[in-house]
PDB file of all heavy atoms in Angstrom:
ATOM      1  N   ILE A  28       0.771  -1.286  -0.029  1.00 87.00           N
ATOM      2  CA  ILE A  28       0.016  -0.017  -0.005  1.00 87.00           C
ATOM      3  C   ILE A  28       0.881   1.305   0.023  1.00 87.00           C
ATOM      4  O   ILE A  28       0.317   2.437  -0.337  1.00 87.00           O
ATOM      5  CB  ILE A  28      -0.929   0.004   1.141  1.00 87.00           C
ATOM      6  CG1 ILE A  28      -0.182  -0.169   2.444  1.00 87.00           C
ATOM      7  CG2 ILE A  28      -2.085  -1.037   0.955  1.00 87.00           C
ATOM      8  CD1 ILE A  28      -1.027  -0.004   3.770  1.00 87.00           C
ATOM      9  N   VAL A  29       2.080   1.264   0.348  1.00 92.00           N
ATOM     10  CA  VAL A  29       2.841   2.499   0.549  1.00 92.00           C
ATOM     11  C   VAL A  29       3.335   3.061  -0.850  1.00 92.00           C
ATOM     12  O   VAL A  29       3.532   2.252  -1.796  1.00 92.00           O
ATOM     13  CB  VAL A  29       4.098   2.324   1.418  1.00 92.00           C
ATOM     14  CG1 VAL A  29       3.791   1.920   2.767  1.00 92.00           C
ATOM     15  CG2 VAL A  29       5.155   1.386   0.758  1.00 92.00           C
ATOM     16  N   THR A  30       3.236   4.262  -0.953  1.00 94.00           N
ATOM     17  CA  THR A  30       3.686   4.994  -2.061  1.00 94.00           C
ATOM     18  C   THR A  30       5.151   5.591  -2.023  1.00 94.00           C
ATOM     19  O   THR A  30       5.855   5.745  -2.941  1.00 94.00           O
ATOM     20  CB  THR A  30       2.830   6.182  -2.409  1.00 94.00           C
ATOM     21  OG1 THR A  30       2.835   7.171  -1.389  1.00 94.00           O
ATOM     22  CG2 THR A  30       1.371   5.794  -2.706  1.00 94.00           C
ATOM     23  N   ASP A  31       5.488   5.715  -0.758  1.00 95.00           N
ATOM     24  CA  ASP A  31       6.887   6.256  -0.410  1.00 95.00           C
ATOM     25  C   ASP A  31       7.399   5.558   0.934  1.00 95.00           C
ATOM     26  O   ASP A  31       6.671   4.946   1.619  1.00 95.00           O
ATOM     27  CB  ASP A  31       6.779   7.782  -0.065  1.00 95.00           C
ATOM     28  CG  ASP A  31       6.123   8.513  -1.260  1.00 95.00           C
ATOM     29  OD1 ASP A  31       4.996   8.455  -1.428  1.00 95.00           O
ATOM     30  OD2 ASP A  31       6.947   9.253  -1.943  1.00 95.00           O
ATOM     31  N   VAL A  32       8.748   5.606   1.015  1.00 95.00           N
ATOM     32  CA  VAL A  32       9.405   5.089   2.226  1.00 95.00           C
ATOM     33  C   VAL A  32      10.150   6.213   2.899  1.00 95.00           C
ATOM     34  O   VAL A  32      10.720   7.119   2.208  1.00 95.00           O
ATOM     35  CB  VAL A  32      10.261   3.915   1.860  1.00 95.00           C
ATOM     36  CG1 VAL A  32       9.379   2.704   1.468  1.00 95.00           C
ATOM     37  CG2 VAL A  32      11.311   4.208   1.003  1.00 95.00           C
ATOM     38  N   ILE A  33      10.102   6.147   4.228  1.00 95.00           N
ATOM     39  CA  ILE A  33      11.070   6.979   5.004  1.00 95.00           C
ATOM     40  C   ILE A  33      11.910   6.062   5.902  1.00 95.00           C
ATOM     41  O   ILE A  33      11.295   5.216   6.665  1.00 95.00           O
ATOM     42  CB  ILE A  33      10.278   7.957   5.950  1.00 95.00           C
ATOM     43  CG1 ILE A  33       9.287   8.829   5.200  1.00 95.00           C
ATOM     44  CG2 ILE A  33      11.301   8.848   6.796  1.00 95.00           C
ATOM     45  CD1 ILE A  33       8.469   9.628   6.106  1.00 95.00           C
ATOM     46  N   ILE A  34      13.143   5.940   5.720  1.00 94.00           N
ATOM     47  CA  ILE A  34      14.012   5.044   6.492  1.00 94.00           C
ATOM     48  C   ILE A  34      14.826   5.778   7.382  1.00 94.00           C
ATOM     49  O   ILE A  34      15.700   6.711   7.027  1.00 94.00           O
ATOM     50  CB  ILE A  34      14.879   4.228   5.496  1.00 94.00           C
ATOM     51  CG1 ILE A  34      13.896   3.410   4.600  1.00 94.00           C
ATOM     52  CG2 ILE A  34      15.846   3.278   6.190  1.00 94.00           C
ATOM     53  CD1 ILE A  34      14.644   2.606   3.496  1.00 94.00           C
ATOM     54  N   VAL A  35      14.925   5.536   8.651  1.00 94.00           N
ATOM     55  CA  VAL A  35      15.756   6.161   9.628  1.00 94.00           C
ATOM     56  C   VAL A  35      17.108   5.339   9.647  1.00 94.00           C
ATOM     57  O   VAL A  35      17.079   4.137  10.110  1.00 94.00           O
ATOM     58  CB  VAL A  35      15.098   6.214  11.095  1.00 94.00           C
ATOM     59  CG1 VAL A  35      16.067   6.880  11.957  1.00 94.00           C
ATOM     60  CG2 VAL A  35      13.693   6.761  10.978  1.00 94.00           C
ATOM     61  N   ARG A  36      18.053   5.932   9.196  1.00 93.00           N
ATOM     62  CA  ARG A  36      19.324   5.204   9.205  1.00 93.00           C
ATOM     63  C   ARG A  36      19.972   5.138  10.677  1.00 93.00           C
ATOM     64  O   ARG A  36      19.553   5.833  11.499  1.00 93.00           O
ATOM     65  CB  ARG A  36      20.438   6.006   8.308  1.00 93.00           C
ATOM     66  CG  ARG A  36      20.033   6.098   6.831  1.00 93.00           C
ATOM     67  CD  ARG A  36      21.180   6.756   6.096  1.00 93.00           C
ATOM     68  NE  ARG A  36      20.951   6.942   4.638  1.00 93.00           N
ATOM     69  CZ  ARG A  36      20.466   7.991   4.171  1.00 93.00           C
ATOM     70  NH1 ARG A  36      20.253   9.132   4.833  1.00 93.00           N
ATOM     71  NH2 ARG A  36      20.263   8.270   2.860  1.00 93.00           N
ATOM     72  N   ASN A  37      20.998   4.409  10.749  1.00 88.00           N
ATOM     73  CA  ASN A  37      21.626   4.180  12.099  1.00 88.00           C
ATOM     74  C   ASN A  37      22.199   5.555  12.664  1.00 88.00           C
ATOM     75  O   ASN A  37      22.238   5.577  13.838  1.00 88.00           O
ATOM     76  CB  ASN A  37      22.734   3.084  12.070  1.00 88.00           C
ATOM     77  CG  ASN A  37      22.212   1.801  11.552  1.00 88.00           C
ATOM     78  OD1 ASN A  37      21.093   1.449  11.759  1.00 88.00           O
ATOM     79  ND2 ASN A  37      23.014   0.915  10.963  1.00 88.00           N
ATOM     80  N   ASP A  38      22.554   6.431  11.890  1.00 90.00           N
ATOM     81  CA  ASP A  38      23.131   7.660  12.284  1.00 90.00           C
ATOM     82  C   ASP A  38      22.049   8.747  12.629  1.00 90.00           C
ATOM     83  O   ASP A  38      22.425   9.933  12.874  1.00 90.00           O
ATOM     84  CB  ASP A  38      24.213   8.279  11.448  1.00 90.00           C
ATOM     85  CG  ASP A  38      23.717   8.598  10.116  1.00 90.00           C
ATOM     86  OD1 ASP A  38      22.425   8.406   9.872  1.00 90.00           O
ATOM     87  OD2 ASP A  38      24.459   9.085   9.228  1.00 90.00           O
ATOM     88  N   GLY A  39      20.750   8.392  12.421  1.00 91.00           N
ATOM     89  CA  GLY A  39      19.720   9.306  12.652  1.00 91.00           C
ATOM     90  C   GLY A  39      19.264  10.133  11.450  1.00 91.00           C
ATOM     91  O   GLY A  39      18.285  10.899  11.513  1.00 91.00           O
ATOM     92  N   THR A  40      19.949  10.028  10.351  1.00 94.00           N
ATOM     93  CA  THR A  40      19.522  10.759   9.145  1.00 94.00           C
ATOM     94  C   THR A  40      18.474   9.987   8.408  1.00 94.00           C
ATOM     95  O   THR A  40      18.221   8.840   8.672  1.00 94.00           O
ATOM     96  CB  THR A  40      20.717  10.908   8.129  1.00 94.00           C
ATOM     97  OG1 THR A  40      21.214   9.682   7.764  1.00 94.00           O
ATOM     98  CG2 THR A  40      21.836  11.864   8.829  1.00 94.00           C
ATOM     99  N   LEU A  41      17.767  10.620   7.502  1.00 95.00           N
ATOM    100  CA  LEU A  41      16.566   9.986   6.924  1.00 95.00           C
ATOM    101  C   LEU A  41      16.851   9.802   5.446  1.00 95.00           C
ATOM    102  O   LEU A  41      17.438  10.587   4.725  1.00 95.00           O
ATOM    103  CB  LEU A  41      15.397  10.919   7.049  1.00 95.00           C
ATOM    104  CG  LEU A  41      14.737  11.285   8.364  1.00 95.00           C
ATOM    105  CD1 LEU A  41      13.480  12.019   8.293  1.00 95.00           C
ATOM    106  CD2 LEU A  41      14.756  10.125   9.289  1.00 95.00           C
ATOM    107  N   PHE A  42      16.422   8.649   4.890  1.00 95.00           N
ATOM    108  CA  PHE A  42      16.359   8.335   3.519  1.00 95.00           C
ATOM    109  C   PHE A  42      14.859   8.445   3.068  1.00 95.00           C
ATOM    110  O   PHE A  42      13.964   7.692   3.673  1.00 95.00           O
ATOM    111  CB  PHE A  42      16.917   6.964   3.195  1.00 95.00           C
ATOM    112  CG  PHE A  42      16.799   6.532   1.784  1.00 95.00           C
ATOM    113  CD1 PHE A  42      17.641   6.916   0.854  1.00 95.00           C
ATOM    114  CD2 PHE A  42      15.607   5.911   1.342  1.00 95.00           C
ATOM    115  CE1 PHE A  42      17.598   6.515  -0.579  1.00 95.00           C
ATOM    116  CE2 PHE A  42      15.481   5.416   0.057  1.00 95.00           C
ATOM    117  CZ  PHE A  42      16.329   5.683  -0.937  1.00 95.00           C
ATOM    118  N   CYS A  43      14.502   9.259   2.129  1.00 95.00           N
ATOM    119  CA  CYS A  43      13.144   9.412   1.732  1.00 95.00           C
ATOM    120  C   CYS A  43      13.029   9.284   0.207  1.00 95.00           C
ATOM    121  O   CYS A  43      13.920   9.890  -0.521  1.00 95.00           O
ATOM    122  CB  CYS A  43      12.603  10.772   2.122  1.00 95.00           C
ATOM    123  SG  CYS A  43      12.735  11.228   3.832  1.00 95.00           S
ATOM    124  N   ALA A  44      12.118   8.405  -0.334  1.00 94.00           N
ATOM    125  CA  ALA A  44      12.098   8.201  -1.719  1.00 94.00           C
ATOM    126  C   ALA A  44      10.645   7.552  -1.993  1.00 94.00           C
ATOM    127  O   ALA A  44      10.058   6.957  -1.219  1.00 94.00           O
ATOM    128  CB  ALA A  44      13.216   7.323  -2.272  1.00 94.00           C
ATOM    129  N   SER A  45      10.143   7.897  -3.163  1.00 93.00           N
ATOM    130  CA  SER A  45       8.943   7.260  -3.667  1.00 93.00           C
ATOM    131  C   SER A  45       9.301   5.911  -4.166  1.00 93.00           C
ATOM    132  O   SER A  45      10.348   5.707  -4.838  1.00 93.00           O
ATOM    133  CB  SER A  45       8.180   8.115  -4.683  1.00 93.00           C
ATOM    134  OG  SER A  45       8.846   8.029  -6.005  1.00 93.00           O
ATOM    135  N   MET A  46       8.465   4.959  -4.070  1.00 91.00           N
ATOM    136  CA  MET A  46       8.669   3.579  -4.566  1.00 91.00           C
ATOM    137  C   MET A  46       8.660   3.603  -6.172  1.00 91.00           C
ATOM    138  O   MET A  46       9.408   2.785  -6.716  1.00 91.00           O
ATOM    139  CB  MET A  46       7.616   2.667  -4.126  1.00 91.00           C
ATOM    140  CG  MET A  46       7.629   2.437  -2.612  1.00 91.00           C
ATOM    141  SD  MET A  46       9.143   1.731  -1.966  1.00 91.00           S
ATOM    142  CE  MET A  46       9.241   0.230  -2.780  1.00 91.00           C
ATOM    143  N   SER A  47       8.022   4.498  -6.757  1.00 90.00           N
ATOM    144  CA  SER A  47       8.008   4.526  -8.146  1.00 90.00           C
ATOM    145  C   SER A  47       9.340   5.051  -8.644  1.00 90.00           C
ATOM    146  O   SER A  47       9.896   4.505  -9.638  1.00 90.00           O
ATOM    147  CB  SER A  47       6.895   5.468  -8.726  1.00 90.00           C
ATOM    148  OG  SER A  47       6.997   6.713  -8.278  1.00 90.00           O
ATOM    149  N   ASP A  48       9.884   6.013  -7.939  1.00 91.00           N
ATOM    150  CA  ASP A  48      11.308   6.554  -8.381  1.00 91.00           C
ATOM    151  C   ASP A  48      12.333   5.429  -8.198  1.00 91.00           C
ATOM    152  O   ASP A  48      13.260   5.209  -8.919  1.00 91.00           O
ATOM    153  CB  ASP A  48      11.696   7.661  -7.496  1.00 91.00           C
ATOM    154  CG  ASP A  48      10.997   8.984  -7.933  1.00 91.00           C
ATOM    155  OD1 ASP A  48      10.364   8.905  -9.044  1.00 91.00           O
ATOM    156  OD2 ASP A  48      11.066   9.955  -7.141  1.00 91.00           O
ATOM    157  N   MET A  49      12.241   4.659  -7.079  1.00 90.00           N
ATOM    158  CA  MET A  49      13.100   3.447  -6.792  1.00 90.00           C
ATOM    159  C   MET A  49      12.931   2.382  -7.973  1.00 90.00           C
ATOM    160  O   MET A  49      13.997   1.860  -8.363  1.00 90.00           O
ATOM    161  CB  MET A  49      12.863   2.926  -5.440  1.00 90.00           C
ATOM    162  CG  MET A  49      13.173   3.874  -4.298  1.00 90.00           C
ATOM    163  SD  MET A  49      14.989   4.145  -4.113  1.00 90.00           S
ATOM    164  CE  MET A  49      15.073   5.838  -4.971  1.00 90.00           C
ATOM    165  N   ALA A  50      11.771   2.074  -8.395  1.00 88.00           N
ATOM    166  CA  ALA A  50      11.548   1.115  -9.423  1.00 88.00           C
ATOM    167  C   ALA A  50      12.164   1.601 -10.769  1.00 88.00           C
ATOM    168  O   ALA A  50      12.577   0.800 -11.565  1.00 88.00           O
ATOM    169  CB  ALA A  50      10.074   0.871  -9.565  1.00 88.00           C
ATOM    170  N   GLU A  51      12.192   2.888 -10.948  1.00 88.00           N
ATOM    171  CA  GLU A  51      12.700   3.444 -12.131  1.00 88.00           C
ATOM    172  C   GLU A  51      14.246   3.506 -12.228  1.00 88.00           C
ATOM    173  O   GLU A  51      14.895   3.260 -13.088  1.00 88.00           O
ATOM    174  CB  GLU A  51      12.215   4.846 -12.413  1.00 88.00           C
ATOM    175  CG  GLU A  51      12.672   5.594 -13.688  1.00 88.00           C
ATOM    176  CD  GLU A  51      12.089   6.895 -13.812  1.00 88.00           C
ATOM    177  OE1 GLU A  51      10.919   7.175 -13.335  1.00 88.00           O
ATOM    178  OE2 GLU A  51      12.756   7.756 -14.456  1.00 88.00           O
ATOM    179  N   LYS A  52      14.747   3.686 -10.917  1.00 90.00           N
ATOM    180  CA  LYS A  52      16.119   3.731 -10.826  1.00 90.00           C
ATOM    181  C   LYS A  52      16.924   2.449 -10.628  1.00 90.00           C
ATOM    182  O   LYS A  52      18.033   2.210 -11.102  1.00 90.00           O
ATOM    183  CB  LYS A  52      16.638   4.670  -9.615  1.00 90.00           C
ATOM    184  CG  LYS A  52      18.060   5.096  -9.451  1.00 90.00           C
ATOM    185  CD  LYS A  52      18.242   6.176  -8.425  1.00 90.00           C
ATOM    186  CE  LYS A  52      19.631   6.585  -8.312  1.00 90.00           C
ATOM    187  NZ  LYS A  52      19.844   7.639  -7.272  1.00 90.00           N
ATOM    188  N   TYR A  53      16.277   1.452 -10.042  1.00 90.00           N
ATOM    189  CA  TYR A  53      16.932   0.174  -9.703  1.00 90.00           C
ATOM    190  C   TYR A  53      16.035  -0.960 -10.232  1.00 90.00           C
ATOM    191  O   TYR A  53      14.929  -0.882 -10.397  1.00 90.00           O
ATOM    192  CB  TYR A  53      17.074   0.038  -8.178  1.00 90.00           C
ATOM    193  CG  TYR A  53      17.944   1.112  -7.543  1.00 90.00           C
ATOM    194  CD1 TYR A  53      17.172   2.088  -6.795  1.00 90.00           C
ATOM    195  CD2 TYR A  53      19.299   1.254  -7.787  1.00 90.00           C
ATOM    196  CE1 TYR A  53      17.963   3.144  -6.133  1.00 90.00           C
ATOM    197  CE2 TYR A  53      20.079   2.326  -7.151  1.00 90.00           C
ATOM    198  CZ  TYR A  53      19.396   3.154  -6.435  1.00 90.00           C
ATOM    199  OH  TYR A  53      20.041   4.209  -5.861  1.00 90.00           O
ATOM    200  N   SER A  54      16.666  -2.145 -10.459  1.00 88.00           N
ATOM    201  CA  SER A  54      16.025  -3.326 -10.807  1.00 88.00           C
ATOM    202  C   SER A  54      16.293  -4.421  -9.763  1.00 88.00           C
ATOM    203  O   SER A  54      17.450  -4.517  -9.268  1.00 88.00           O
ATOM    204  CB  SER A  54      16.453  -3.733 -12.216  1.00 88.00           C
ATOM    205  OG  SER A  54      17.840  -4.124 -12.309  1.00 88.00           O
ATOM    206  N   TYR A  55      15.310  -5.311  -9.535  1.00 90.00           N
ATOM    207  CA  TYR A  55      15.401  -6.325  -8.562  1.00 90.00           C
ATOM    208  C   TYR A  55      15.203  -7.702  -9.187  1.00 90.00           C
ATOM    209  O   TYR A  55      14.394  -7.865 -10.181  1.00 90.00           O
ATOM    210  CB  TYR A  55      14.381  -6.115  -7.398  1.00 90.00           C
ATOM    211  CG  TYR A  55      14.235  -7.361  -6.586  1.00 90.00           C
ATOM    212  CD1 TYR A  55      15.227  -7.650  -5.695  1.00 90.00           C
ATOM    213  CD2 TYR A  55      13.113  -8.114  -6.797  1.00 90.00           C
ATOM    214  CE1 TYR A  55      14.974  -8.816  -4.879  1.00 90.00           C
ATOM    215  CE2 TYR A  55      12.943  -9.308  -6.001  1.00 90.00           C
ATOM    216  CZ  TYR A  55      13.912  -9.662  -4.984  1.00 90.00           C
ATOM    217  OH  TYR A  55      13.799 -10.786  -4.308  1.00 90.00           O
ATOM    218  N   GLY A  56      15.863  -8.695  -8.775  1.00 88.00           N
ATOM    219  CA  GLY A  56      15.625  -9.984  -9.265  1.00 88.00           C
ATOM    220  C   GLY A  56      16.426 -11.090  -8.489  1.00 88.00           C
ATOM    221  O   GLY A  56      17.128 -10.731  -7.580  1.00 88.00           O
ATOM    222  N   ILE A  57      16.161 -12.375  -8.841  1.00 89.00           N
ATOM    223  CA  ILE A  57      16.904 -13.439  -8.279  1.00 89.00           C
ATOM    224  C   ILE A  57      17.973 -13.897  -9.315  1.00 89.00           C
ATOM    225  O   ILE A  57      17.750 -14.073 -10.518  1.00 89.00           O
ATOM    226  CB  ILE A  57      15.960 -14.661  -8.107  1.00 89.00           C
ATOM    227  CG1 ILE A  57      14.768 -14.234  -7.194  1.00 89.00           C
ATOM    228  CG2 ILE A  57      16.739 -15.785  -7.389  1.00 89.00           C
ATOM    229  CD1 ILE A  57      15.218 -13.823  -5.672  1.00 89.00           C
TER     230      ILE A  57
END
């Protein structure tokens, strides 16, 4: 259901991105 992710890194900084942008930038597979 999510459109975007916010990830709190170990140093307290944030990673923010839309899932559509990530799918456009990266590919996943086995």
